[in-house]
Amino acid sequence: MYLSSKTINSPKIFFLVLIYISATSSLWAAQTDSLLQALNEVIAEKESFTEAKEERIAAYHRALRSGNDHNRFQILQGLSEEYKTFIYDSAFAYTIRLQQEAYRLGSAEKIAYAKVKLAFILLSSGMFKETLDSLATIRVKGLPDSIRMDYYSILARACYDLGDFDRDRFYTPIYIAKGNAYVDSARSLSKPGDYAYLYLNGLKSLKNENTAMALADLTELLDSYTLTHHQLAVTASTLSYYYVLHNEPEKAIDLLAQAAMADIRSATRETSAMSALAELLYKKGDILNAYNYIQQAMEDAVFYGARQRKVQVGSILPVIAAARLTNVEEQRRMWLVYSTAITLLSVLVIVFAVITYKQLKKRKVAEKALQEANKIKEEYIGYYFNVNSEYLGKIEAIKKAVEMKLMTKKIDDIRFVINDINLKKEREALYNSFDKVFVKLFPDFVTIFNSYFRDEDKVVLKEGQLLNAELRIFALIRMGIHDTEKIARILDYSINTIYNYKARIKGRSIVPNEEFEKKIMMIHAL
């Protein structure tokens, strides 16, 4: 669809395009994560696919030991086919035996077949000269199309691989041209629409930078054909190169993940998909998966025994391993920072909790003290009004008595009314009222007070007595009256008398003198 400059400049359209790109990227990232997860699951089952391969190989070995020469070539052919992408040494050994059996049988077709199979194994191990030497001994004319197609396909792959290996501006184009010619020969021997035809066509297009044609052919194979595991791995791996060239690593990663899974399911150990996938993930920054996959690639290269593959994997493995170590160190530092931050946060929380607890405790103490003070005030306000009410009644009675004497002209009798007032008795009544209210508020005062003395020095009250003079002084102190002069006025004592009482009491106490009054203040009201 063509977009005019007016359309492109439209903020609304531009915003919608951004949303589309963002949504597409998110979907592709989710698909990639899903494929990598699937690959990890297949890797976990890798041993089971290897065991199935080994069981098939064991069956061929049992058949070979049976000594039946009639189908010996077919058995060696099966062993060669099973080993060719599994273990190089065994593949080479049994393909040599296959070639020897072909010579024994005297079949030019079988000899050519065995040499082509040997060339494939030699090429897979990176032995280019030996590959070309083996193929050079084959007379192609008169051979079946299937053998000739494999012959030209291997020659094409050898030339393309040599071009990639050299990466030289002079020699690489020569190898590409030779590879193109061999591809054309191989393609002419296959049916249009066959897997081999489309794959060779796509490979040639890719090598000659005809990427649109390569994309069409290889995508058609993946989307519309039922492929074997090996065909899927080869096709997906080849197509991934197209997306690498076009700077679309996410799509290349998806294809290589599919190729790697197909390789594992077919127990193929001669593979490049896993190492290529690791390299792309490393560049993307997914160090953990890159490291796991490059290890798998090295394990496969060592297992297969191909020198070329071990060199290829060995060149990138240290780089990824170093990045992983760096990543681990960074994660360790981050965890150290996080743990330090969490520790500091925990300490702060604890500190704030302790401060809050202390403040709440102080608040509770203050509230309790306030409640206690309010209760004391309430009791003593009531006591004050009650006492004042009684004294007002007594004053009123005296007033009436005096007025009566004045009205009856009995002036001398007023003296008898005044003398009838017993100040000592009134004071005792006042003290008694105070004692009752105080003991009601502080029922444990005397007991706690006595706990500050040895047994022989404890205050002993007379029968019916609530407080005595000594206790009353400290009762007033507990009520918050600390001024000695005020205490003396209330109790009608001299200041010296109050000092003497206090000194004598403190002197007998087991509590230090400077702490005694603090202990008194700690006695709580009911």
Side-chain angles (χ1 to χ4, degrees):
M1 182 179 70
Y2 175 74
L3 292 176
S4 68
S5 59
K6 182 178 179 181
T7 303
I8 293 173
N9 290 332
S10 169
K12 183 176 180 181
I13 296 297
F14 181 70
F15 180 67
L16 291 173
V17 169
L18 285 178
I19 291 176
Y20 171 77
I21 292 171
S22 176
T24 304
S25 300
S26 298
L27 288 171
W28 203 276
Q31 178 181 331
T32 299
D33 291 342
S34 177
L35 280 170
L36 294 181
Q37 178 61 34
L39 174 57
N40 292 335
E41 292 173 1
V42 172
I43 289 173
E45 300 175 20
K46 185 176 181 179
E47 194 61 33
S48 64
F49 297 114
T50 300
E51 288 174 359
K53 165 78 81 172
E54 290 173 341
E55 286 176 6
R56 293 195 298 272
I57 290 172
Y60 280 119
H61 280 295
R62 287 193 296 271
L64 190 63
R65 287 194 298 270
S66 67
N68 187 353
D69 291 340
H70 178 69
N71 59 351
R72 185 178 180 83
F73 185 85
Q74 287 75 20
I75 295 170
L76 289 170
Q77 183 182 12
L79 281 169
S80 174
E81 191 67 24
E82 291 290 349
Y83 275 125
K84 73 177 184 180
T85 58
F86 189 54
I87 300 175
Y88 168 76
D89 288 342
S90 298
F92 181 83
Y94 283 102
T95 306
I96 290 293
R97 290 180 65 178
L98 178 69
Q99 188 173 310
Q100 291 170 348
E101 182 64 16
Y103 275 110
R104 189 185 72 81
L105 294 173
S107 169
E109 180 180 324
K110 286 183 171 59
I111 292 170
Y113 173 85
K115 287 183 177 181
V116 169
K117 293 299 178 185
L118 182 62
F120 176 88
I121 293 164
L122 291 170
L123 181 59
S124 297
S125 68
M127 301 172 70
F128 297 111
K129 181 181 182 301
E130 290 77 4
T131 299
L132 296 174
D133 288 345
S134 178
L135 292 174
T137 63
I138 299 174
R139 294 185 61 184
V140 180
K141 188 176 180 180
L143 291 175
D145 288 351
S146 60
I147 296 177
R148 292 168 63 202
M149 188 180 72
D150 285 347
Y151 170 85
Y152 288 120
S153 297
I154 293 172
L155 276 172
R157 180 186 158 192
C159 289
Y160 286 150
D161 286 357
L162 280 168
D164 290 340
F165 181 80
D166 284 353
R167 294 185 182 277
D168 183 82
R169 280 185 288 181
F170 179 79
Y171 288 105
T172 295
I174 296 174
Y175 283 121
I176 295 295
K178 286 183 178 181
N180 293 340
Y182 289 131
V183 164
D184 290 341
S185 297
R187 196 173 50 179
S188 68
L189 296 168
S190 61
K191 295 178 182 179
D194 281 356
Y195 167 79
Y197 185 91
L198 283 174
Y199 177 75
L200 289 170
N201 201 48
L203 179 62
K204 178 184 175 183
S205 298
L206 197 59
K207 292 295 182 180
N208 290 273
E209 300 182 1
N210 186 359
T211 53
M213 184 66 72
L215 178 64
D217 289 334
L218 296 174
T219 302
E220 183 180 354
L221 282 176
L222 290 175
D223 293 345
S224 305
Y225 283 67
T226 302
L227 305 178
T228 64
H229 289 311
H230 184 65
Q231 289 173 341
L232 172 60
V234 171
T235 306
S237 184
T238 304
L239 182 55
S240 72
Y241 184 66
Y242 165 87
Y243 289 110
V244 171
L245 289 176
H246 286 76
N247 197 27
E248 297 184 64
E250 292 292 344
K251 293 182 179 180
I253 287 170
D254 290 354
L255 287 164
L256 288 170
Q258 294 178 55
M261 284 189 280
D263 281 332
I264 293 171
R265 291 186 175 113
S266 61
T268 297
R269 296 300 183 98
E270 198 293 300
T271 172
S272 62
M274 193 72 83
S275 60
L277 175 61
E279 188 171 358
L280 285 180
L281 289 172
Y282 163 73
K283 291 177 180 178
K284 182 186 172 186
D286 186 353
I287 304 301
L288 181 59
N289 277 323
Y291 181 74
N292 289 338
Y293 297 154
I294 200 65
Q295 281 193 315
Q296 289 292 324
M298 179 54 80
E299 179 185 309
D300 288 342
V302 171
F303 189 95
Y304 181 73
R307 291 181 292 276
Q308 177 199 20
R309 194 66 67 202
K310 284 190 281 187
V311 170
Q312 289 175 343
V313 176
S315 65
I316 187 65
L317 190 148
V319 177
I320 297 176
R324 181 177 181 272
L325 285 174
T326 302
N327 185 257
V328 168
E329 287 300 320
E330 287 178 357
Q331 288 183 342
R332 190 174 297 167
R333 283 195 293 270
M334 287 177 65
W335 278 113
L336 181 61
V337 171
Y338 290 150
S339 61
T340 303
I342 290 170
T343 302
L344 290 174
L345 184 60
S346 300
V347 170
L348 286 174
V349 169
I350 292 170
V351 169
F352 282 124
V354 170
I355 291 171
T356 304
Y357 172 76
K358 288 183 176 180
Q359 288 177 340
L360 288 173
K361 192 174 180 182
K362 287 180 180 177
R363 184 177 175 181
K364 286 182 179 179
V365 170
E367 287 177 352
K368 188 173 182 181
L370 183 61
Q371 290 173 357
E372 186 177 78
N374 288 336
K375 187 173 182 181
I376 292 170
K377 287 177 183 178
E378 288 172 4
E379 289 290 337
Y380 274 94
I381 286 170
Y383 160 73
Y384 171 79
F385 279 106
N386 183 52
V387 169
N388 280 358
S389 178
E390 289 181 2
Y391 277 100
L392 285 171
K394 289 180 179 180
I395 291 170
E396 186 178 4
I398 293 171
K399 179 185 176 186
K400 287 179 180 180
V402 170
E403 286 177 348
M404 184 63 70
K405 296 299 181 183
L406 289 172
M407 287 174 63
T408 57
K409 308 289 186 178
K410 296 179 180 180
I411 303 300
D412 293 335
D413 289 347
I414 293 174
R415 179 168 51 85
F416 294 109
V417 173
I418 298 301
N419 289 336
D420 194 46
I421 299 172
N422 190 339
L423 291 177
K424 182 179 179 182
K425 186 177 179 182
E426 292 297 332
R427 189 175 295 281
E428 288 176 356
L430 178 65
Y431 292 160
N432 188 53
S433 296
F434 170 82
D435 294 348
K436 285 180 180 179
V437 175
F438 183 83
V439 171
K440 181 181 178 183
L441 287 169
F442 298 91
D444 298 326
F445 182 81
V446 176
T447 303
I448 297 172
F449 184 90
N450 274 330
S451 68
Y452 302 152
F453 300 89
R454 290 181 288 272
D455 289 342
E456 62 272 18
D457 294 322
K458 290 180 180 181
V459 175
V460 180
L461 296 171
K462 296 178 182 178
E463 187 176 351
Q465 204 175 24
L466 297 174
L467 299 175
N468 61 12
E470 295 173 338
L471 289 171
R472 203 169 288 121
I473 291 169
F474 288 99
L476 288 169
I477 290 172
R478 180 60 189 87
M479 293 296 295
I481 303 171
H482 297 278
D483 189 338
T484 303
E485 187 177 348
K486 286 183 180 180
I487 294 173
R489 284 201 306 268
I490 292 170
L491 298 179
D492 195 30
Y493 293 145
S494 67
I495 293 174
N496 287 334
T497 301
I498 300 300
Y499 276 123
N500 290 335
Y501 270 123
K502 288 171 69 175
R504 188 165 58 249
I505 290 294
K506 290 178 181 180
R508 297 202 312 264
S509 174
I510 59 176
V511 176
N513 289 358
E514 64 275 9
E515 297 291 329
F516 190 82
E517 291 189 19
K518 291 181 182 178
K519 297 288 286 184
I520 293 297
M521 295 303 295
M522 291 172 64
I523 301 173
H524 296 297
L526 182 64

